[in-house]
Structure formats: C-alpha cells, structure tokens
C-alpha cells in the first residue's frame, strides 16, 4: 500500500484532530499503516522552544512536513491535523513531497471562527478574549485559508463520521484507501 501525507488545516477547534483520529481508526481497521502527527504533540516534542512568530510557525510546519514525508515515503498514511496558518508554508511542504514523489493532499477543515470560539476545546478563545494571550490564529493573527484544497470539509454542518467519510472517499478516489 502506498503512503501519503494528508494535511488537515484549519482554525483552532475546527475539528482537525477529531476528524484525523476518526479516519485513522477506520484506515487501521482496513489494514493501512497510519500515523497521526498532531500539532500540539509535535510542538511539545519536536518543536519545543519555538514560539508563535511567523518564522517559528513556518519552522514548525516545515519540520512536521519533513517527518510526514519520511513516513509517507515508507508506505504510511500520515494524517497531519495542524493549523499551519500560512499558505506559503503549506506550499513549501507540498513541494517537498512533490520533489520526492510522495503523495500529498491538503484538506481544509473550514469551520468558521464563530463556531470554533464556541467549541473552544483548549480554552484559547476565552484566554484571548480575556487578554491573557495574543496572536490567536483567525482572531488577532492571520489564517490564510487554502485557495484550492483537495477537499474542503464544512465540519460544523455535519457529523465527525460524515467528515471522516468524506475524507475517506477522497482517499479512495485517489487510490489511497
């Protein structure tokens, strides 16, 4: 089975990790080798010490992309639920994959900031509103939504299972599931 990187980008609390973990379970049940490179875990272990400046965010995204490409090149389906707010950083990761002949799909989990701020899974929106933090993607720091993703998921309008199913259908259509 061939590997590929499936990059899920979107605002904080958009549902990226939940969709990725749901799909990962389904793919494993089907016999695929799967890894989820969660943005929060990567920041803790691979990108410790990086802040949230544009340069640090770019470095973080490139590191994650490098690891994802290595795994994907060895037959792993790599699900990457990471905000990755800047289009040029995501494009650099795509090019890195293309140059090495490794599959790469970009998925935009397009949940509006109004919905994300209500979900507020990690309390970031509340902390930003209280003035405790700044630089929150989509609020007081930019998020550049993908112009032409391989798939756009309106996660706020469907169930997690439906969102994961739409992504599975994309993978099946590309011969990856």
């Amino acid at each position: 089975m061939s590997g590929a990187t499936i990059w899920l980008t979107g605002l904080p609390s958009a549902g990226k990790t939940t969709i990725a973990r749901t799909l990962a379970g389904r793919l494993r049940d089907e016999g695929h080798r799967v890894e989820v490179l969660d943005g929060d875990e990567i920041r803790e272990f691979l990108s410790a010490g990086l802040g949230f400046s544009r340069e640090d965010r770019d470095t973080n995204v490139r590191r994650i992309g490098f690891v994802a490409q290595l795994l994907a090149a060895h037959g792993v389906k790599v699900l990457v639920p990471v905000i990755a707010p800047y289009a040029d950083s995501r494009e650099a990761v795509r090019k890195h994959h293309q140059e090495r002949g490794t599959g790469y799909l970009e998925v935009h989990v397009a949940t509006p900031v109004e919905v994300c701020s209500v979900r507020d899974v990690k309390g970031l929106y509340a902390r930003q509103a209280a003035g405790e933090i700044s630089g929150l993607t989509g609020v007081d720091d930019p998020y550049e939504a993908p112009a032409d993703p391989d798939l756009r998921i309106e996660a706020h309008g469907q169930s997690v299972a439906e969102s994961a199913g739409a992504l599975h259908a994309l993978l099946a259509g590309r011969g990856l599931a």
Side-chain angles (χ1 to χ4, degrees), residues 100-160:
R100 286 151 184 80
T102 306
Y104 178 90
L105 298 172
E106 183 178 68
V107 177
H108 180 207
V109 181
T111 307
V113 69
E114 298 80 15
V115 175
C116 294
S117 65
V118 170
R119 289 179 180 172
D120 203 9
V121 177
K122 298 171 195 147
L124 296 174
Y125 294 93
R127 291 180 59 209
Q128 189 277 336
E132 296 172 17
I133 62 170
S134 63
L136 181 58
T137 301
V139 178
D140 59 355
D141 206 58
Y143 176 74
E144 299 169 356
D148 190 27
D150 295 284
L151 178 64
R152 190 175 317 277
I153 295 175
E154 305 280 341
H156 57 290
Q158 59 190 20
S159 70
V160 172

Side-chain angles (χ1 to χ4, degrees), residues 62 65-66 69-70 73 88 90-104:
R62 288 174 187 259
F66 177 80
Q69 189 277 324
L70 284 176
D88 57 349
R90 295 189 307 265
E91 185 57 29
V93 172
R94 179 188 295 278
K95 285 182 179 175
H96 180 80
H97 280 70
Q98 288 172 340
E99 290 166 358
R100 286 151 184 80
T102 306
Y104 178 90

Side-chain angles (χ1 to χ4, degrees), residues 39-60:
D40 292 332
E41 293 172 359
I42 295 295
R43 271 210 172 262
E44 181 179 352
F45 297 108
L46 184 63
S47 295
L50 289 180
F52 291 91
S53 68
R54 184 175 180 119
E55 182 181 347
D56 283 356
R57 289 176 193 241
D58 182 60
T59 298
N60 185 51

